[in-house]
Amino acid sequence: MLPPSDRSAPRQYPPGKSGQDCRTDSGEGASLTIEERRQVAERWIAVAPPGLRVIVHVGPTCLQDCRALAEHAQLSGADSIACMAPYCFKPAGVAELEEWCA
């Protein structure tokens, strides 16, 4: 299992914060495989303190992988997802970006 440990989720956000994007301890999320990213999300969801909304980042540049991660996040109990536009072959405008995110 990859980070975060059982202790890292609660310690990475200040008291009173209502949501947190799940992440690894050293920020290597973009370099993880899809399965590793699923494991990180599952661990965050499992160890998040009551009341902390878990936000799973699902934004690799492959739309199929992004959709698979979003579906996994939903089925795993994440409160929301975050996604960014691909940085290679960027959408040409707002309409293409909206279509990619749909």
Side-chain angles (χ1 to χ4, degrees):
M1 179 64 66
L2 297 169
S5 68
D6 286 349
R7 292 182 306 257
S8 67
R11 76 167 186 241
Q12 289 190 23
Y13 78 98
K17 187 172 183 181
S18 60
Q20 175 67 48
D21 59 323
C22 64
R23 60 180 76 182
T24 55
D25 288 338
S26 57
E28 73 277 5
S31 299
L32 299 178
T33 66
I34 298 302
E35 183 55 33
E36 289 169 333
R37 291 180 69 175
R38 287 180 177 137
Q39 291 174 7
V40 169
E42 289 169 4
R43 197 71 192 135
W44 265 90
I45 291 164
V47 302
L52 179 67
R53 294 186 302 244
V54 176
I55 306 161
V56 177
H57 191 277
V58 299
T61 58
C62 171
L63 182 55
Q64 184 178 357
D65 290 348
C66 182
R67 287 178 175 162
L69 287 170
E71 180 179 10
H72 177 265
Q74 180 180 23
L75 294 173
S76 297
D79 296 291
S80 60
I81 62 168
C83 182
M84 61 184 191
Y87 44 86
C88 297
F89 307 111
K90 300 177 200 176
V94 173
E96 286 184 1
L97 177 61
E98 288 175 346
E99 182 179 337
W100 194 88
C101 292

